[in-house]
Amino acid sequence: MYFAALLARTEDGWEASDTELDDVETLSDLADLAREAAPDEDTVFVLIEQEDSWFGLVRVDGEEDPRIFVSDAAAAARSAYGELLLTDELLGRDPGADDGTDVDSLDLDGTEDGESEDEDDVEETAAAGAVPHGPVGDGSILDDLGISEKELRGLDPNEALAEIAEALGASEVLETVR
């Protein structure tokens, strides 16, 4: 089960709103959705969690590029919402790199006829496109709000959003949209 909400800082404190991500196709769309929730270019968080699996935070401060933290990239990669957050840049890949195989660059060394490849080659190939297990992104995304990178990385995915909201003084407003 998924939960997604916007948490916007205003002059009067934090405001939360439940959000639907079905029409969001890119990180840019998600950032635009967050900016719409902040009338004065204040800080807005997009909070996303998949029960028992992972959570993600997107922080948008005015027109600045969004900052992202994902608690478990491998788990998020298996989710449509997680894929929004796992950009090439976040995963350390070359942006726009072609994931497809270039036929001209194939090494036709006889293994295409059923011979097994060297185990080291198989491991290198798997590692080249693998999504890491564990946290990725900007671990200092909440430093200025009182949650250190160490604390953020140590949060349980089931309780993370509630603990973050509590530390921000926004637990009551977040609970109203949950």
Side-chain angles (χ1 to χ4, degrees), residues 26-162:
T26 65
L27 179 59
S28 180
D29 293 343
L30 190 60
D32 289 344
L33 180 70
R35 286 184 185 103
E36 290 172 13
D40 297 324
E41 296 189 5
D42 289 321
T43 299
V44 179
F45 288 99
V46 180
L47 310 170
I48 303 171
E49 74 178 0
Q50 180 181 5
E51 193 172 290
D52 296 331
S53 188
W54 65 276
F55 70 93
L57 305 172
V58 178
R59 180 177 179 160
V60 178
D61 293 303
E63 291 300 318
E64 292 182 27
D65 288 340
R67 296 167 57 193
I68 305 164
F69 177 82
V70 176
S71 67
D72 186 337
R78 295 186 295 269
S79 155
Y81 296 138
E83 287 179 350
L84 285 173
L85 307 180
L86 298 175
T87 63
D88 288 336
E89 183 179 330
L90 191 72
L91 295 173
R93 297 178 183 159
D94 291 331
D98 185 11
D99 291 340
T101 303
D102 180 8
V103 176
D104 294 332
S105 68
L106 286 176
D107 181 15
L108 301 177
D109 61 359
T111 58
E112 68 277 2
D113 293 327
E115 296 176 24
S116 64
E117 291 186 40
D118 183 278
E119 283 184 32
D120 291 337
D121 292 340
V122 172
E123 288 174 12
E124 282 179 29
T125 302
V131 175
H133 288 276
V136 295
D138 185 351
S140 64
I141 195 169
L142 297 171
D143 275 357
D144 63 324
L145 299 171
I147 300 175
S148 71
E149 181 172 353
K150 181 179 179 182
E151 291 170 313
L152 183 61
R153 290 178 180 268
L155 293 175
D156 179 328
N158 288 325
E159 300 167 8
L161 298 188

Side-chain angles (χ1 to χ4, degrees), residues 2-6 17-21 30 46-49 81 161 174 177-178:
Y2 291 96
F3 171 72
L6 296 173
S17 58
D18 191 10
T19 189
E20 188 62 44
L21 299 178
L30 190 60
V46 180
L47 310 170
I48 303 171
E49 74 178 0
Y81 296 138
L161 298 188
L174 184 63
V177 298
R178 210 174 243 284

